[in-house]
Amino acid sequence: MQKSDWWHTEISDISPGVIRYHGYSVEQLIASEGVSVGSMIWLMTRGEIPTPLQAKLLERAMIAAVDHGPQAPSIAIARMAMTCGVDINNAMASAINVLGDVHGGAGQQLMELVSEIIADGRPVEVVVSEKLREFRARKKHIPGFGHRFHPRDPRRDPLLRLVEQARDAGEIEGKALEVTLEIEKQISAGRTRPIPMNIDGATAVIYSELGFSPMLGRGLFVLSRSIGALAHANEEFQSQMRNKGPENRTVLPNYQGAAPRDVP
Ligand SMILES: CC(C)(COP(=O)(O)OP(=O)(O)OC[C@H]1O[C@@H](n2cnc3c(N)ncnc32)[C@H](O)[C@@H]1OP(=O)(O)O)[C@@H](O)C(=O)NCCC(=O)NCCS
């Protein structure tokens, strides 16, 4: 068969009767009990099969972010889309399309910030303090911290505990953890209500420690939230409701425009 450089890839090697990813045959990957879905994601994005601990950390982060119920815009949108008669792929894509810098995608920005702080080389507390001053001056929120209604995101502690354990076992460096804990300490200082790390932040710590790029970090969040979007879109489909809006039809949006008037 003719080969062309129009597309060249180091990921998949496909020819009649052959499917290999980074050199591993799909037959062996299917048969190997040691290869989980998390390992497969790692293999596809990083080119190697991860160690058991790397796979575990990646999977725990992804498990933590699968869903946040219909009050999360991504999930509500997937459900609304489903009631409009579109198919499940459209509903899932709608969810993915709203995972931006404020909802679900803040981890990417935090990963960028963390790598800048680490690269700076000066003591972490000094660089963090400088960066926070810049954010405040621009009236910007620090990505990966705070939550609309959880005073302390219940996913933060178990995720960070796993990171601490991996650091203590010498499996990861722990630098991203150090930086983000310093940010958390400084943004919460002097406040009656602290501003703890949220799910985007805690997963960003894991993805940074595991050496994923910030862009891949966002992609991994999207992958995990797709599981929730799939489940909710499917559940909403069972309801057979049609054209379900963001609020019950008995509740009207608060119109604040011009009073009724005649067209001139
Ligand atoms: C998620 C978010 C939109 C919630 O914002 P919110 O509903 O305004 O949060 P709160 O009302 O609890 O904020 C309370 C206070 O903490 C501050 N605060 C909240 N998150 C903050 C953050 N990330 N950085 C700096 N200050 C923050 C608010 O400005 C507010 O300050 P004030 O009391 O001086 O007015 C906000 O925390 C945010 O934008 N975080 C960064 C983006 C992010 O991580 N998104 C993923 C969310 S899971």
Side-chain angles (χ1 to χ4, degrees):
M1 233 174 199
Q2 199 188 341
K3 295 222 168 182
S4 152
D5 250 347
W6 182 255
W7 298 114
H8 50 91
T9 173
E10 294 177 10
I11 301 171
S12 32
D13 179 9
I14 317 281
S15 58
V18 175
I19 302 176
R20 282 196 211 98
Y21 305 122
H22 291 282
Y24 295 115
S25 80
V26 77
E27 292 91 331
Q28 284 188 19
L29 290 167
I30 291 168
S32 169
E33 284 181 17
V35 178
S36 59
V37 173
S39 316
M40 204 54 206
I41 294 167
W42 188 293
L43 172 65
M44 294 304 280
T45 52
R46 307 283 291 272
E48 296 297 337
I49 291 175
T51 65
L53 191 113
Q54 288 170 329
K56 176 178 157 187
L57 274 179
L58 172 62
E59 284 167 4
R60 297 303 107 180
M62 293 185 71
I63 285 171
V66 289
D67 182 23
H68 200 261
Q71 60 275 70
S74 49
I75 298 297
I77 284 167
R79 297 188 72 125
M80 276 193 282
M82 214 58 200
T83 70
C84 298
V86 299
D87 224 319
I88 196 131
N89 52 311
N90 304 109
M92 291 174 75
S94 302
I96 289 170
N97 273 331
V98 294
L99 293 174
D101 288 350
V102 179
H103 172 43
Q108 177 177 10
Q109 297 167 298
L110 181 60
M111 287 173 77
E112 281 158 5
L113 179 64
V114 164
S115 72
E116 275 173 36
I117 294 171
I118 294 173
D120 187 281
R122 284 177 297 156
V124 165
E125 61 275 18
V126 174
V127 193
V128 164
S129 158
E130 253 178 47
K131 292 282 181 197
L132 293 189
R133 256 201 312 277
E134 285 169 29
F135 270 90
R136 280 190 201 108
R138 287 186 283 132
K139 297 196 179 351
K140 290 257 183 200
H141 282 76
I142 320 298
F145 296 83
H147 203 280
R148 271 179 314 139
F149 65 84
H150 294 304
R152 187 178 180 85
D153 192 319
R155 299 159 290 190
R156 176 206 177 280
D157 293 349
L159 286 175
L160 295 195
R161 215 172 298 128
L162 288 171
V163 179
E164 279 164 5
Q165 285 165 4
R167 178 203 56 200
D168 296 345
E171 298 266 0
I172 55 165
E173 205 187 342
K175 203 72 190 160
L177 178 67
E178 184 194 341
V179 168
T180 48
L181 289 179
E182 183 61 32
I183 296 175
E184 192 178 56
K185 189 172 119 194
Q186 291 197 20
I187 54 171
S188 300
R191 299 185 66 95
T192 39
R193 253 185 68 198
I195 309 173
M197 219 179 291
N198 57 39
I199 179 66
D200 296 32
T203 51
V205 173
I206 293 188
Y207 299 146
S208 295
E209 293 288 356
L210 292 176
F212 284 97
S213 69
M215 191 183 76
L216 278 177
R218 178 175 294 205
L220 292 170
F221 193 101
V222 168
L223 268 184
S224 57
R225 182 52 59 90
S226 300
I227 298 169
L230 171 66
H232 279 276
N234 180 53
E235 184 181 66
E236 192 61 53
F237 180 69
Q238 314 303 323
S239 79
Q240 294 296 318
M241 271 192 82
R242 293 159 67 84
N243 282 4
K244 191 168 174 181
E247 274 191 308
N248 189 304
R249 70 179 77 177
T250 57
V251 179
L252 291 178
N254 191 8
Y255 174 69
Q256 294 179 329
R261 51 186 166 161
D262 292 327
V263 177

